[in-house]
């Protein structure tokens, strides 16, 4: 079946088969997705911003903090804000100050009032503002700054907190908050007076002829694309303007196909006219360079100015729009300053709940964000190797054939994937009885080379009375309900009529987890892992291809309240199912790929950027998207290599593999109508080019894994943009087409333009940079033209790093487990270098009990040292024993002096023993660095040792 344009997918099945004869359109259908002015609450809040702007200094938001209600206790300030309209609306305020410097501001609507509201329909919708987003997004365990002190003077309450002289200055009338560190304002709430809490109200029936105001027209009902949202609770949006004074770049708020440094959204040359939208949706044939919503949402934004980084996290699971504008003035600066960024956040429902992350640098912001929402999971080794997917491998023989061909062509891969066609009539947890009747033996074949299988399991469950999963789900009441709250919701997706599992329900989650047990998911083996797709959720006949907002979830929350968390609730449940299926004590780290995500998804899954197209703009677009995901705490991210829709030219496919080798999640995938394009089919020279790219990924797996490990405990992005690495170099703040791989010193500028033979690379400092492959040296900060013919990946090593590699080509990553290492040293201009290596079994949780190796490598005073970084080495004893024969077999020293020419051997010292190892010197010609290769120093990966080059 063809993947349909949205309009076609919203039609019943008979109509589908007719339309499937049509070619899919090449661009997104804008008319299927709302603009801000088609979304009542966004339009109203933007209009309010316009009125405030027009009124200028005379504008004051009708929100006043009631001074006498303020109380500060153990780091938490409570009080009441009065919205002075509509006879006075009471809004409880809470300002929490955390030990790590984070401040949280939460504004609710008094229960007394909301309880009184008469719902418009006889609806089951809960009479409370949604307040459970934190249950899903936050990891808890935050410590409050108990020593925080408060002082009130002339209508301003100042709270001093934290070690770094943090202050929150709260002006009472109108309510606004300035956040300061060491006297400097870095974030301001309600700077422009755009705060808005649309209070709950009963509908006033108007007399005939009285008419509704334009605003009121969307208060109680809203229709779009033929679907009507019954809005039982009426208007309830929350909005706030947040200014970053003196910060001229903002990043984050994935997922959008846009630049890393976010553009302005209120029109003007090169700017967008629409706000960035966060409303997880299946956007068919999404376009590049657009603020349109996509499949996932992380409402986290980072602001950057020279030498300072701060962040805000807007905790709302509802549809959200964010306007960004930049101004030349900064009224909060003590001295004249550069441009400021003003943002305007608008969500449809729930609490107003915002966290301010004070930095002061990028690393601190990522740590703070990770402490709030959790760090990225440490993936299994196989999952960061290469994955081969298409919609669909048509049979088990097809799978085995692809598996064989990879070997025949000496191309490594770890995982082969099965899309929806492998099932029996789109019933997940089943196999097509004709084409996949021996799933276990197929998995056994793959396991011979330690390869894995991933199969798809989507959240829509075929509405078929004979399908056990559906029957159980409906009988137990585990499906999402329609707006009445009693009947299971029915919509259309791949299987036709479907129901949706409600993973907001803990009992439904327990049941879902049980479906992955081997006796339930018959034909699955421990080598099988899961892909969760369509979990926005995608509903072909739903409004904007998703679920009606007035559907009811567990706890009687409306879908509108939880929409952006829906995908995460589902992939979390899948993850847990996989984690426990082998039984207690035998857990292995699961691999789950999800399309839809929210803040917190990083704790369990990987994501990919959905249905891109096989064209150059989509290749180019992927990196800014992956960078944005990485800085928003979800770095295990990739894009379909080759492009999902369409057929890439061989040049594009080759370039895409070269780029994909630097995606944290590296998977080739293609649409069902696309021509077969497994790497070995490309013909020469393309097969070799692709093989080299994949092998490059495999040889660098030790470095990748070490970088992932760092992300998993300190939140540093895996692909690091320039502004993270060089926070004082403003020339790099908007760069998003080249980046560093963790702290390996590897700088890559993938080619994303057709027919390129050269490209321009920006070196951000005067340190020496070496071409990774031929050691050409570059010494000067600035832009350089570098060669980039088709077989060349512009990849550089910054001087001063040591990169661990494994250079023996293997068929899969597991087969490399005990292979020896190569250390590549890029000597700095000062003659030094450093790096590290993290190793564990790559699949279990034993590392959490200390079963891992972590070594530091340092080159100083002509001696290379390997020293232990494991804080409790005794806990690694058994693992070390297992790994003791794994050695360093080669040390490549790039950038050595001429004096090395006479050196024939070096001395290796390990414990009380010393021995010699051979050195081969090569003089660099034509601008290339001199290199020295130490052959088989036989130094163990588990022990301290040194190699003296003097
Ligand atoms: C949509 C996904 O984005 C795509 O990757 C997949 O192939 C199709 N669904 C079919 O499952």
């Amino acid at each position: 079946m063809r993947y349909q344009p949205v309009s076609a997918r919203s039609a019943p099945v008979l109509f589908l088969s007719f339309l499937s004869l049509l070619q899919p359109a090449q661009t997104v259908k804008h008319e299927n997705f709302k603009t801000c002015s088609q979304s009542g609450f966004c339009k109203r809040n933007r209009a309010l911003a316009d009125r405030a702007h027009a009124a200028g200094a005379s504008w004051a938001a009708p929100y006043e903090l009631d001074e006498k209600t303020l109380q500060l206790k153990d780091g938490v300030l409570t009080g009441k804000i009065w919205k002075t309209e509509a006879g006075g609306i009471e809004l409880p305020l809470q300002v929490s100050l955390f030990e790590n410097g984070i401040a949280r501001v939460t504004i609710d609507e008094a229960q007394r009032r909301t309880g009184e509201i008469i719902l418009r329909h006889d609806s089951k919708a809960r009479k409370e503002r949604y307040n459970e987003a934190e249950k899903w997004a936050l990891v808890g365990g935050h410590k409050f700054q108990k020593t925080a002190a408060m002082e009130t003077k002339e209508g301003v309450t100042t709270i001093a907190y934290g070690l770094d002289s943090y202050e929150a200055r709260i002006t009472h009338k109108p309510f606004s908050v300035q956040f300061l560190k060491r006297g400097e304002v870095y974030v301001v709430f309600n700077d422009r007076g755009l705060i808005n809490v649309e209070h709950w109200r009963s509908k006033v029936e108007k007399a005939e002829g009285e008419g509704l105001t334009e605003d009121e027209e969307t208060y109680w009902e809203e229709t779009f694309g033929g679907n009507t949202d019954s809005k039982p609770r009426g208007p309830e949006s929350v909005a706030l303007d947040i200014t970053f004074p003196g910060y001229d770049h903002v990043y984050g708020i994935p997922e959008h196909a846009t630049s890393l440094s976010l553009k302005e959204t209120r029109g003007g040359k090169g700017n967008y006219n629409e706000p960035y939208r966060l409303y997880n949706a299946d956007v068919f044939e999404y376009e590049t360079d657009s603020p349109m919503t996509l499949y996932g949402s992380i409402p986290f934004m980072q602001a950057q100015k020279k030498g300072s980084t701060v962040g805000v996290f807007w905790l709302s699971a509802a549809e959200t729009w964010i306007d960004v504008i930049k101004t030349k003035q900064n009224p909060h600066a003590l001295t004249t300053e550069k441009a400021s960024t003003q943002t305007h956040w608008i969500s449809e429902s729930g609490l107003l709940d915002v966290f301010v992350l004070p930095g002061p640098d990028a690393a601190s912001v990522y740590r703070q964000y990770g402490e709030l929402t959790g760090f990225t999971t440490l993936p299994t080794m196989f999952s960061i190797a290469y994955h081969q997917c298409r919609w669909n491998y048509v049979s088990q023989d097809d799978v085995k054939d692809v598996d064989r061909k990879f070997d025949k062509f000496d191309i490594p891969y770890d995982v082969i994937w099965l899309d929806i066609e492998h099932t029996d009539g789109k019933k997940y947890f089943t196999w097509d009885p004709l084409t996949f009747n021996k799933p276990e033996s197929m998995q056994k074949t793959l396991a011979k080379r330690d390869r894995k299988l991933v199969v798809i399991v989507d959240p829509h469950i075929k509405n078929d009375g004979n399908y056990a999963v559906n029957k159980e789900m409906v009988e137990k009441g585990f499906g999402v309900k329609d707006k009445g709250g009693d009947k299971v919701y029915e919509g259309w997706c791949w299987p036709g009529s479907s129901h949706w599992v409600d993973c907001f329900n803990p009992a439904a989650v327990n049941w879902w987890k049980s479906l992955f047990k081997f006796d339930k998911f018959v034909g699955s083996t421990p080598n099988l892992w899961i892909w969760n797709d369509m979990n926005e959720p995608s509903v072909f006949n739903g409004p904007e291809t998703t679920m009606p907002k007035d559907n009811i979830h567990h706890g009687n929350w409306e879908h509108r309240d939880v929409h952006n968390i829906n995908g995460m609730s589902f992939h979390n449940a899948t993850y847990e199912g996989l984690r426990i299926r082998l039984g207690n004590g035998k857990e292995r780290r699961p691999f789950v790929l999800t399309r839809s995500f929210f803040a917190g998804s990083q704790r369990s899954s990987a994501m990919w950027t959905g249905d891109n197209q096989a064209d150059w703009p989509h290749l180019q677009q992927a990196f800014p998207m992956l960078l944005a995901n990485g800085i928003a705490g979800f770095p295990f991210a990739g894009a379909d290599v080759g492009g999902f829709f369409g057929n890439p030219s061989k040049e594009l496919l080759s370039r895409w593999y070269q780029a994909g080798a630097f995606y944290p999640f590296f998977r080739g995938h293609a649409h069902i109508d696309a021509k077969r394009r497994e790497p070995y089919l490309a013909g020469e020279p393309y097969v070799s080019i692709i093989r080299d790219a994949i092998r490059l990924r495999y040889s660098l797996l030790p470095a990748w894994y070490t970088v992932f490990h760092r992300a998993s405990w300190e939140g540093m992005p895996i692909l690091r943009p320039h502004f993270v690495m060089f926070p004082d170099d403003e020339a790099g703040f908007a760069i998003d087409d080249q980046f560093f791989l963790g702290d390996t010193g590897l700088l890559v500028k993938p080619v994303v333009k057709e027919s390129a033979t050269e490209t321009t690379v920006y070196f951000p400092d005067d340190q020496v940079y070496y071409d990774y492959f031929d050691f050409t040296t570059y010494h000067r900060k600035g832009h350089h033209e570098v060669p980039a013919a088709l077989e060349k990946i512009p990849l550089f090593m910054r001087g001063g790093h040591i990169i661990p590699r494994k250079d023996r080509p293997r068929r899969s990553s597991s087969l490399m487990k005990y292979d020896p290492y190569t250390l590549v040293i890029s000597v700095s201009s000062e003659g030094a270098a450093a790096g590290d290596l993290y190793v564990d079994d790559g699949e279990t949780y034993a590392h959490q009990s200390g079963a891992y190796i972590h070594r530091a490598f340092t080159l100083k005073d002509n001696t290379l040292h390997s020293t232990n970084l494991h804080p409790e080495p005794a806990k690694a004893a058994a693992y070390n024993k297992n790994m003791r024969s794994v050695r360093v077999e080669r040390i490549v020293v790039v950038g050595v002096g001429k004096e090395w020419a006479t050196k024939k051997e070096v001395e290796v010292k390990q414990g009380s023993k010393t021995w010699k190892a051979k050195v081969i010197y090569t003089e660099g010609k034509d601008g290339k660095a001199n290199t020295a290769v130490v052959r088989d120093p036989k130094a163990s990966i588990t022990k301290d040792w040194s190699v003296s080059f003097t």
Side-chain angles (χ1 to χ4, degrees):
M1 192 211 291
R2 188 185 293 276
Y3 192 47
Q4 296 297 326
V6 170
S7 56
R9 286 196 275 142
S10 63
V13 144
L14 286 175
F15 195 42
L16 273 181
S17 54
F18 161 70
L19 281 175
S20 67
L21 300 172
L22 301 177
Q23 277 300 312
Q26 282 312 300
T27 53
V28 66
K29 286 200 169 7
H30 283 275
E31 63 277 21
N32 288 331
F33 296 93
K34 290 182 183 176
T35 58
C36 176
S37 64
Q38 291 167 323
S39 165
F41 74 95
C42 185
K43 183 177 174 188
R44 293 196 294 275
N45 280 288
R46 245 196 174 188
L48 182 143
D50 290 340
R51 287 199 299 278
H53 184 70
S58 67
W59 179 265
Y63 292 79
E64 294 178 10
L65 182 59
D66 187 347
E67 187 175 319
K68 51 184 196 308
T69 61
L70 290 181
Q71 269 192 337
L72 177 68
K73 196 165 175 272
D74 292 339
V76 180
L77 175 88
T78 50
K80 278 181 195 165
I81 294 174
W82 288 97
K83 180 174 176 184
T84 56
E85 288 174 340
I89 310 291
E90 183 188 329
L91 306 172
L93 165 76
Q94 186 162 315
V95 181
S96 316
L97 307 152
F98 298 166
E99 265 187 2
N100 58 6
I102 294 178
R104 176 185 193 178
V105 175
T106 314
I107 300 177
D108 199 350
E109 184 169 350
Q111 281 297 307
R112 191 181 52 74
R113 267 198 54 80
T114 51
E116 275 169 16
I117 299 299
I118 299 154
L119 293 187
R120 215 189 123 213
H121 310 282
D122 185 19
S123 164
K124 288 233 163 44
R126 181 131 152 195
K127 293 181 177 188
E128 197 178 341
R129 281 186 174 268
Y130 182 63
N131 52 21
E132 293 188 357
E134 64 172 25
K135 275 204 339 207
W136 296 94
L138 305 187
V139 286
H142 314 296
K143 294 203 181 94
F144 294 118
Q145 185 59 250
K146 296 199 171 151
T147 55
M150 165 176 115
E151 186 187 326
T152 298
K153 240 199 246 159
E154 293 163 11
V156 178
T157 296
T158 302
I159 315 174
Y161 63 102
L163 300 174
D164 217 3
S165 326
Y166 294 125
E167 269 178 28
R169 257 185 225 163
I170 311 174
T171 302
H172 302 175
K173 186 180 165 181
F175 169 77
S176 72
V177 193
Q178 294 185 354
F179 295 90
L180 299 90
K181 54 187 173 198
R182 290 190 221 107
E184 191 180 295
V185 183
Y186 62 95
V187 165
V188 189
F189 285 0
N190 203 31
D191 196 29
R192 294 185 288 150
L194 310 185
I195 188 171
N196 189 23
V197 179
E198 289 190 321
H199 56 274
W200 282 20
R201 60 201 84 190
S202 304
K203 187 180 180 198
V204 180
E205 296 301 338
K206 295 212 167 171
E208 211 171 303
E210 231 183 328
L212 297 171
T213 64
E214 204 190 330
D215 273 359
E216 286 170 340
E217 268 170 20
T218 51
Y219 271 12
W220 305 102
E221 206 168 79
E222 213 169 319
T223 300
F224 179 77
N227 289 285
T228 299
D229 173 6
S230 66
K231 296 181 82 170
R233 302 185 309 213
E236 51 177 329
S237 75
V238 290
L240 179 70
D241 62 278
I242 302 177
T243 297
F244 300 95
Y247 292 81
D248 44 1
H249 288 271
V250 285
Y251 313 102
I253 55 167
E255 183 181 28
H256 300 102
T258 187
S259 50
L260 176 65
S261 175
L262 296 169
K263 296 181 183 178
E264 296 184 52
T265 58
R266 281 291 205 144
K269 198 164 174 261
N271 299 333
Y272 298 131
N273 285 306
E274 285 289 310
Y276 295 97
R277 187 181 189 204
L278 294 175
Y279 189 58
N280 297 350
D282 182 358
V283 181
F284 183 72
E285 294 188 334
Y286 69 81
E287 62 189 4
T288 59
D289 192 11
S290 163
M292 272 181 87
T293 198
L294 285 174
Y295 312 92
S297 298
I298 304 181
F300 167 77
M301 182 182 273
Q302 190 182 336
Q304 173 78 17
K305 69 175 181 182
K306 191 171 176 175
S308 172
T309 310
V310 296
V312 295
F313 174 47
W314 175 268
L315 181 50
S316 172
E319 177 182 350
T320 297
W321 300 77
I322 304 143
D323 262 318
V324 174
I325 50 175
K326 299 188 183 182
T327 62
K328 293 269 177 296
Q329 301 122 26
N330 172 8
H332 301 279
L334 302 174
T335 52
T336 332
E337 270 218 40
K338 303 214 321 183
S340 295
T341 303
Q342 300 179 331
T343 61
H344 185 197
W345 299 68
I346 307 166
S347 290
E348 186 177 14
S349 71
L351 303 177
L352 194 159
D353 199 2
V354 204
F355 296 76
V356 176
L357 285 57
D361 50 28
S364 308
V365 166
Y366 302 137
R367 200 193 55 247
Q368 288 153 1
Y369 181 72
E371 283 169 2
L372 281 180
T373 66
F375 294 103
T376 195
T377 184
L378 179 64
T380 53
M381 182 61 98
F382 78 78
S383 65
I384 65 168
Y386 176 64
H387 301 250
Q388 181 61 42
C389 186
R390 82 169 268 115
W391 178 17
N392 221 96
Y393 288 114
V394 297
S395 65
Q396 56 216 8
D397 291 338
D398 193 8
V399 167
K400 288 189 206 161
D401 184 53
V402 172
D403 184 62
R404 263 195 308 271
K405 295 256 172 62
F406 265 89
D407 287 347
K408 183 164 169 220
F409 285 83
D410 274 335
I411 302 173
Y413 90 97
D414 267 58
V415 193
I416 190 159
W417 291 51
L418 294 179
D419 209 319
I420 50 177
E421 315 299 330
H422 81 276
T423 59
D424 179 9
K426 315 291 184 301
K427 291 184 289 227
Y428 304 109
F429 306 101
T430 69
W431 305 87
D432 184 287
L434 291 177
T435 51
F436 288 96
N437 59 352
K438 290 196 178 127
E440 274 152 336
S441 107
M442 172 180 66
Q443 288 164 76
K444 232 175 165 178
T445 306
L446 296 173
K448 279 192 194 140
R449 313 221 188 291
D450 238 330
R451 289 180 177 140
K452 326 283 171 199
L453 180 72
V454 167
V455 301
I456 199 163
V457 173
D458 290 351
H460 48 256
I461 305 297
K462 185 170 182 161
N463 180 10
D464 173 339
N466 295 321
Y467 176 30
V469 175
N470 177 61
K471 249 174 84 182
E472 270 183 52
M473 185 176 84
V474 175
E475 274 165 23
K476 292 177 197 272
F478 293 159
V480 180
K481 311 287 187 313
D482 70 9
K483 67 180 174 197
D486 296 316
K487 254 182 44 230
V488 62
Y489 168 72
E490 189 249 325
W492 289 82
C493 207
W494 297 128
S497 171
S498 305
H499 298 133
W500 274 260
V501 57
D502 183 9
C503 287
F504 288 92
N505 180 349
V509 168
N510 272 336
W511 166 76
W512 185 257
K513 278 156 56 177
S514 73
L515 300 181
F516 294 92
K517 297 227 163 100
F518 299 109
D519 55 346
K520 278 256 179 165
F521 188 174
V522 178
S524 70
T525 72
N527 249 356
L528 171 147
W529 305 95
I530 299 293
W531 173 16
N532 283 162
D533 186 19
M534 314 295 272
N535 50 340
E536 297 73 27
S538 177
V539 180
F540 294 165
N541 61 338
E544 300 191 87
T545 334
T546 188
M547 195 167 262
K549 285 178 169 169
D550 47 9
N551 270 7
I552 299 288
H553 287 265
H554 173 74
N556 287 345
W557 297 113
E558 277 193 281
H559 184 70
R560 117 182 44 254
D561 295 319
V562 300
H563 175 84
N564 283 345
I565 294 181
N566 188 83
M568 182 166 82
S569 73
F570 179 63
H571 72 69
N572 278 351
T574 301
Y575 176 89
E576 282 304 315
L578 293 178
R579 199 176 63 80
I580 60 171
R581 68 186 166 161
L582 279 172
N584 276 345
K586 294 194 205 127
E587 289 92 353
R588 285 200 284 155
R589 286 176 250 163
F591 172 73
V592 179
L593 181 75
T594 179
R595 193 171 70 174
S596 180
F597 56 88
F598 189 66
S601 284
Q602 72 273 13
R603 301 191 298 260
S604 59
S605 300
M607 62 74 74
W608 93 109
T609 61
D611 299 347
N612 57 1
Q613 303 203 25
D615 58 27
W616 293 91
H618 278 84
L619 169 60
Q620 183 271 327
Q621 184 64 76
F623 276 115
M625 292 175 79
L626 302 183
L627 291 173
N629 241 76
I631 64 158
F634 195 6
F636 196 6
D640 283 349
V641 170
F644 180 67
F645 292 116
N647 297 302
S649 68
K650 290 182 179 178
E651 181 193 352
L652 176 58
L653 187 67
S654 308
R655 288 303 196 190
W656 217 313
Y657 271 95
Q658 293 176 339
F662 290 90
Y663 294 171
F665 170 63
F666 181 23
R667 182 186 74 157
H669 183 39
H671 183 272
I672 195 164
D673 289 342
K675 291 192 190 123
R676 292 292 283 244
R677 54 164 107 121
E678 288 65 38
Y680 49 78
L681 294 175
E684 288 300 347
Y686 308 100
V687 176
S688 295
I689 290 169
I690 295 171
R691 180 192 297 115
D692 287 350
I694 299 179
R695 281 195 180 169
L696 174 67
R697 171 61 165 241
Y698 275 74
S699 76
L700 284 171
L701 278 176
W704 276 94
Y705 198 63
T706 303
V707 172
F708 264 97
H709 170 252
R710 172 139 297 164
S712 77
W713 61 272
E714 59 172 36
M716 282 301 274
I718 286 166
L719 308 183
R720 295 198 191 156
H722 276 255
F723 77 85
V724 173
M725 303 300 285
F726 296 91
D728 289 322
D729 180 25
E730 288 174 287
F733 286 4
I735 293 181
D736 58 12
D737 58 356
Q738 56 174 69
F739 51 85
F740 289 85
L741 171 59
D743 44 13
T744 60
L746 287 171
L747 170 65
V748 60
K749 165 88 194 258
V751 175
V752 295
K753 297 237 157 59
E754 196 168 6
S755 310
T757 52
E758 287 194 326
T759 188
T760 309
V761 171
Y762 176 67
F763 294 118
D765 62 349
D766 284 329
Q767 185 52 262
V768 55
Y769 284 79
Y770 304 98
D771 181 292
Y772 181 84
F773 302 100
D774 67 12
F775 312 132
T776 302
T777 55
Y778 299 88
H779 287 284
R780 187 181 38 80
K781 171 182 165 138
H783 293 94
H784 292 254
E785 285 296 301
V786 298
L790 187 56
E791 61 286 348
K792 178 96 181 163
I793 305 176
L795 176 62
F796 305 89
M797 301 185 282
R798 181 173 182 268
H801 293 268
I802 301 180
I803 303 159
R805 287 196 323 214
K806 289 195 174 187
D807 285 351
R808 299 189 180 184
R810 298 278 182 198
R811 292 170 173 186
S812 73
S813 69
S814 311
L815 303 176
M816 296 163 69
K817 215 169 190 167
Y818 299 104
D819 278 356
Y821 287 86
T822 294
L823 297 180
V824 183
I825 305 179
S826 59
V827 180
S828 73
S829 318
E830 298 77 27
D836 69 330
L837 169 69
Y838 172 85
V839 192
D840 64 25
D841 67 19
E843 56 177 338
T844 73
Y845 290 93
H847 63 293
Q848 292 179 347
S849 330
Y852 64 86
I853 296 166
H854 196 185
R855 315 279 326 161
F857 301 117
T858 23
L859 173 71
K860 225 175 105 194
D861 303 329
N862 271 324
T863 307
L864 171 67
H865 295 272
S866 167
T867 51
N868 175 49
L869 284 176
H870 196 310
E872 295 175 280
K875 290 192 171 166
Y879 183 62
N880 278 349
K881 205 164 160 209
N882 178 32
M883 296 295 285
R884 75 183 157 213
S885 58
V886 178
R887 68 185 203 282
V888 174
E889 71 169 346
R890 221 152 67 102
I891 302 170
V892 181
V893 195
V894 182
V896 296
K898 283 218 159 82
E899 67 279 7
W900 282 66
T902 53
K903 217 168 280 196
K904 296 278 170 273
E905 49 191 23
V906 291
E907 191 175 83
V908 184
K909 217 186 241 170
Q910 188 173 289
S912 54
K913 297 201 180 122
T914 57
W915 60 87
K916 304 272 185 209
K918 275 215 170 87
V919 185
I920 297 169
Y921 171 83
T922 311
E923 193 181 322
K925 302 218 168 88
D926 307 324
K928 299 188 172 62
N930 304 327
T931 55
V933 175
V934 179
R935 292 184 59 182
D936 209 359
K938 295 196 175 65
S940 167
I941 207 66
T942 63
K943 301 213 169 97
D944 285 359
W945 46 259
S946 63
V947 178
S948 167
F949 297 130
T950 43

